[in-house]
Amino acid sequence: MHVHKYEKIWLTFGIGSLLVFLIVLGWGAFYQGTQPPSCLVTLNPQNVQAHNSFKEENLGVQQVGENEYVVNVLASAFNYDLGKDEEGAPVKKIRIPAGANVTFQATTSDVVHGFHLSGTNVNMMLEPGYISDYETTLDNPGEYTLVCNEYCGVGHHMMSAIVEVYE
Amino acid sequence: MSKQSALKQSSAHDVHEVEDIETHEEPNLKGTFAAVMFIGVFIVVSWIGVYALYMYR
Ligand SMILES: [Cu+2]
């Protein structure tokens, strides 16, 4: 079969890049263990408080180790519940030291919400009945907006909180 | 015309046809090549850009 010289070039380029992409994908999935943030734990969305992580007193930042934190967040239209402060007012801003190991654990008690810590790789979908979690290290100090990026209703644009990463 | 000469004629005709295919001019694929490579390079560059953004953050 006669194949044109140019065809040989673009076929090699196309098959070559396909192989590179597939190898990177497989390496991430099987060697690094990358998986969707909401693939392991399920819970009853009508009674999220039954799960220890989403009990009223466990919401917000918890220090679990020397440089290890867990952030439990319960999303609902149109709010991120990060627990209450000493005066009983809802927390709208949490603080995490730079370089610490942080695990965000979040779920929703009603519709699908987004969980995007803008400017970072923390970007999850929160689905009723599933716990989405993301383990990361926030190295750059600053204020990051936690924002809902899944349209959830009329108050969607007001659904946000602040995560401050301090030195 | 004898049967033999008719055969000769037809085989000569076949040879001519084969030659015609082999010396057939290649289609000009310069434009196609440029378009294909433009899209290919665009995809690869965007992919690397997103990957670098992911790794940097
Ligand atoms: Cu929303």
Side-chain angles (χ1 to χ4, degrees), chain A residues 78 80 111-114 147-153 155-159:
Chain A
F78 306 99
Y80 289 114
V111 296
V112 170
H113 292 286
V147 65
C148 177
N149 58 7
E150 294 280 344
Y151 184 71
C152 53
H156 168 65
H157 60 290
M158 301 187 302
M159 190 165 169

Side-chain angles (χ1 to χ4, degrees), chain A residues 56-112:
Chain A
E56 193 82 12
E57 65 271 21
N58 291 337
L59 292 174
V61 190
Q62 313 276 330
Q63 187 164 7
V64 293
E66 203 197 315
N67 204 22
E68 248 184 281
Y69 294 79
V70 168
V71 181
N72 295 322
V73 185
L74 174 58
S76 62
F78 306 99
N79 177 50
Y80 289 114
D81 195 340
L82 293 158
K84 298 210 160 48
D85 61 17
E86 294 88 51
E87 280 108 59
V91 174
K92 283 285 114 199
K93 181 177 175 178
I94 57 170
R95 300 181 82 236
I96 293 164
N101 177 289
V102 194
T103 303
F104 291 93
Q105 299 188 127
T107 193
T108 163
S109 56
D110 43 44
V111 296
V112 170

Side-chain angles (χ1 to χ4, degrees), chain A residues 5-138:
Chain A
K5 181 179 79 191
Y6 288 162
E7 271 185 298
K8 280 181 191 157
I9 297 175
W10 73 59
L11 282 172
T12 310
F13 178 82
I15 294 165
S17 41
L18 186 65
L19 280 177
V20 170
F21 291 156
L22 284 175
I23 288 166
V24 172
L25 192 72
W27 176 70
F30 299 110
Y31 179 70
Q32 296 211 305
T34 308
Q35 51 197 355
S38 61
C39 67
L40 296 172
V41 196
T42 56
L43 78 176
N44 178 4
Q46 255 106 53
N47 187 19
V48 290
Q49 283 79 14
H51 193 282
N52 205 37
S53 301
F54 302 104
K55 282 193 174 29
E56 193 82 12
E57 65 271 21
N58 291 337
L59 292 174
V61 190
Q62 313 276 330
Q63 187 164 7
V64 293
E66 203 197 315
N67 204 22
E68 248 184 281
Y69 294 79
V70 168
V71 181
N72 295 322
V73 185
L74 174 58
S76 62
F78 306 99
N79 177 50
Y80 289 114
D81 195 340
L82 293 158
K84 298 210 160 48
D85 61 17
E86 294 88 51
E87 280 108 59
V91 174
K92 283 285 114 199
K93 181 177 175 178
I94 57 170
R95 300 181 82 236
I96 293 164
N101 177 289
V102 194
T103 303
F104 291 93
Q105 299 188 127
T107 193
T108 163
S109 56
D110 43 44
V111 296
V112 170
H113 292 286
F115 189 100
H116 183 201
L117 199 54
S118 93
T120 74
N121 284 338
V122 183
N123 190 357
M124 313 188 277
M125 196 175 182
L126 310 181
E127 300 136 290
Y130 290 88
I131 296 175
S132 300
D133 62 282
Y134 197 102
E135 190 181 342
T136 188
T137 303
L138 301 167

Side-chain angles (χ1 to χ4, degrees), chain A residues 2 4 10 21 119-121, chain B residues 26-27 29 33 36 47 54 57:
Chain A
H2 176 72
H4 194 283
W10 73 59
F21 291 156
T120 74
N121 284 338
Chain B
E26 295 222 308
L29 295 183
F33 181 71
V36 167
W47 190 93
Y54 176 77
R57 282 176 157 185

